[in-house]
Amino acid sequence: MIGESFIITGLLLIASASLFRAKRKKWAVATLPLAVLPAVNALVGFTAVVLLKAKLNFVTEMCIIMGALIVSCTWTGFLTATLLNRRKARLPYMIGSIAFNVILAAVFIHHYYLVLELGVR
């Protein structure tokens, strides 16, 4: 799941850069919180597995993912309230962003549960 997290993070950063080049700076900044969860998952996984050659237990992984989810959703709410001017755009963006983060966190937790607790690859 480390590779997939790096790819998701890269795609979100490319989307943000594309919005920045299209002179939609507010939307470019507003998409950055979406990259927090996969970036944290990729960095923690890379550090634990590749550099330290250690396995983290399920509870540790879950706490890291939940912490990243809280940071990402809070940052999304703050940027939605301060950056997005049109009232019509605020609610769909916030619902979509938080739903993306929650679903992605659920996928990561499910993956770590299968790998760490059940030994399934």
Side-chain angles (χ1 to χ4, degrees), residues 69-81:
L69 178 66
I70 290 168
V71 168
S72 180
C73 289
T74 304
W75 192 14
T76 298
F78 174 74
L79 290 180
T80 301

Side-chain angles (χ1 to χ4, degrees), residues 41-94:
N41 187 49
L43 291 175
V44 168
F46 181 77
T47 303
V49 174
V50 177
L51 297 179
L52 301 176
K53 304 222 185 301
K55 284 175 65 174
L56 299 175
N57 63 4
F58 177 70
V59 174
T60 305
E61 289 288 345
M62 189 177 71
C63 289
I64 292 169
I65 290 171
M66 286 296 138
L69 178 66
I70 290 168
V71 168
S72 180
C73 289
T74 304
W75 192 14
T76 298
F78 174 74
L79 290 180
T80 301
T82 58
L83 281 182
L84 302 180
N85 296 332
R86 292 191 332 211
R87 202 167 174 95
K88 282 184 175 180
R90 285 182 186 172
L91 189 62
Y93 173 75
M94 192 156 49

Side-chain angles (χ1 to χ4, degrees), residues 16-56:
S16 181
S18 298
L19 286 167
F20 189 75
R21 283 194 76 212
K23 303 213 184 336
R24 299 203 178 255
K25 295 176 184 170
K26 290 182 179 180
W27 284 101
V29 172
T31 57
L32 290 177
L34 297 176
V36 170
L37 182 64
V40 167
N41 187 49
L43 291 175
V44 168
F46 181 77
T47 303
V49 174
V50 177
L51 297 179
L52 301 176
K53 304 222 185 301
K55 284 175 65 174
L56 299 175

